Amino acid sequence: MRVVVFSAKPHDRDFLPLACADRHDLVFHESRLSAATVPLAAGAEAVCLFVHDHADATILAGLAKLGVKHLALRCAGFNNVDLAAAAQLGLGVARVPAYSPHGVAEHAVALLMTLNRRVHRAYNRVRDGNFALEGLLGFNVHGKTVGIVGTGKIGLCFARIMHGFGARLLAHDPVPNPEAVQLGAEYVALDRLLAGSDIISLHCPLTPATHHLIDATALARMRDGVFLVNTSRGPLVDTAAVIEALKSGKLGALALDVYEEEEGIFYEDLSAAFVPDDLLARLLTFPNVLVTSHQAFFTREALTSIAATTAGNLDDFAAGRPCANAVKA
Ligand code: NAD
C-alpha cells in the first residue's frame, strides 16, 4: 500500500521503514498536512500523520478526492482530526494508543529534578569556570507532597517514580486507578490537590473540561513556590496566567514539554530566526522555567513501539481487517 507520511523527521525515516519492511511503499514529506499540502497525497491509499498535522473536514474531503482511504496517526491524541467528517467520507482512522508511558513520566521527572537542583544553571556556570553554589539551592523530594492530575498510564508511571523518591502522593482523576491507590495515593478533589501539593504534574488529556485547567484561579489556590510540570498538552495551562504567577513568585518553577501555541514552533529549527510567539519568548527569560520541545515521548523504545503499531494498523487497513486501534467519532 502506498502511504504518504506527513511531518516526516529523520527518526520517522529510520523507524517506520524498519517496522513496515517491504509491505508498504512509504513516501516521506517534511511538510505538515494542511490545505496547501493535500496534493502531496496524490496516489496514496493512506496518509500517516503526527500531532501537528491538520485533518479538518475540508482537508479530509481533499484527501478523499485523491483516493486516500486511511489515516494512520503515529501518535495517541486525535484532537487534530475531524472524526465525524472522516466517518462521513468513509475514511478509516487509527492511532497508537500507548507507547512507553515510562518515557514520558521519566521526562517529567527529568524536568522536575533539573529545575529543583538547578542543573540547567550549574551546567553553564561550571563551564564558565564559576564553581560557586549561590543560587543553586534545591530541596529533597523525599517527604514532599506531589499532586498528580490524571493517573492513567503515564500518571501512574510518574506516581511510581515519586513513590520511589519517598514523596506523599495526592491524585485527582474522575476514574481512580487502583494501582495508584495501592501505592498510597490519596484521591482528592482538584482544589485540595492544588492547595496541598509542593509539586504538581499534569497527566490528563486535553478536553473542553481540561482546557486552561491551570488558570489564574487555580494558581491562586496553590502553595507559594509550587513546582508545576506539564508534559501532557499545552492548552491545559493558561500561559498568560503562569507568567503572572512566575512574576509574583507564586510559582517556584515551571516545566513545560508542551505549549499551547507550540504548532509551527516546536519541532522546527528557528535558531537562525527568532521565537515568533511573545508569550513563549517571555517564558524563556525566567531562570526557573524549563521548556522542552514536546520531546517527552522521544525514546528509542517509544519510537520502536510507535512504528510497530502504526505498521500493524496499516497492515489491518490493507488487509481489510477490523483494526483494534481504530478511532471513531
Ligand atoms: P491515559 O488515557 O492512560 O490517562 C489519562 C487519565 O486522565 C485517565 O485516567 C483519565 O481518567 C484522566 N482524566 C480525564 N479527564 C480528567 C480530568 N478532568 N482531571 C483529571 N484526570 C482526568 O493517557 P496517558 O497515556 O497517561 O497520557 C496522558 C496525556 O499525556 C495524554 O492525554 C497526552 O496528552 C499526553 N502525552 C504527552 C506526550 C509527550 O510527548 N509530551 C506523549 C504521550 C502522551
Side-chain angles (χ1 to χ4, degrees), residues 99 150 152-154 172-174 203 205 210 231-233 257 294 297:
Y99 46 89
K153 293 178 284 295
I154 296 169
H172 174 72
D173 192 311
H203 300 288
T210 60
T231 55
S232 193
R233 282 291 179 266
D257 184 54
H294 207 142
F297 75 98

Side-chain angles (χ1 to χ4, degrees), residues 9 44 71 75 85 98 106 125 145 150 169 199 228 253 283-284 294 320:
K9 295 291 180 196
L71 274 67
C75 52
E106 288 172 15
R125 189 182 282 195
T145 301
L169 304 178
I199 296 160
L228 177 65
L283 275 181
L284 296 177
H294 207 142

Side-chain angles (χ1 to χ4, degrees), residues 33 49 53-60 63 71 80-83 85:
L33 175 63
L49 308 181
D53 289 310
H54 268 295
D56 63 20
T58 313
I59 288 171
L60 289 172
L63 291 174
L71 274 67
N80 52 337
V81 179
D82 185 332
L83 291 176

Side-chain angles (χ1 to χ4, degrees), residues 50-51 75-77 79 95-101 103-104 107 148-157 171-177 187 190 202-207 209-211 213 230-234 236 257-258 262 267 292-298:
F50 198 50
V51 289
C75 52
N79 49 303
R95 66 176 181 133
V96 182
Y99 46 89
S100 189
V104 181
H107 190 73
I148 305 171
V149 182
T151 49
K153 293 178 284 295
I154 296 169
L156 178 64
C157 289
H172 174 72
D173 192 311
V175 188
N177 186 332
Y187 278 88
L190 183 62
L202 307 179
H203 300 288
C204 60
L206 174 64
T207 64
T210 60
H211 184 266
L213 186 81
N230 184 13
T231 55
S232 193
R233 282 291 179 266
L236 295 181
D257 184 54
V258 287
E262 69 181 51
Y267 303 146
T292 52
S293 183
H294 207 142
Q295 70 172 76
F297 75 98
F298 200 54

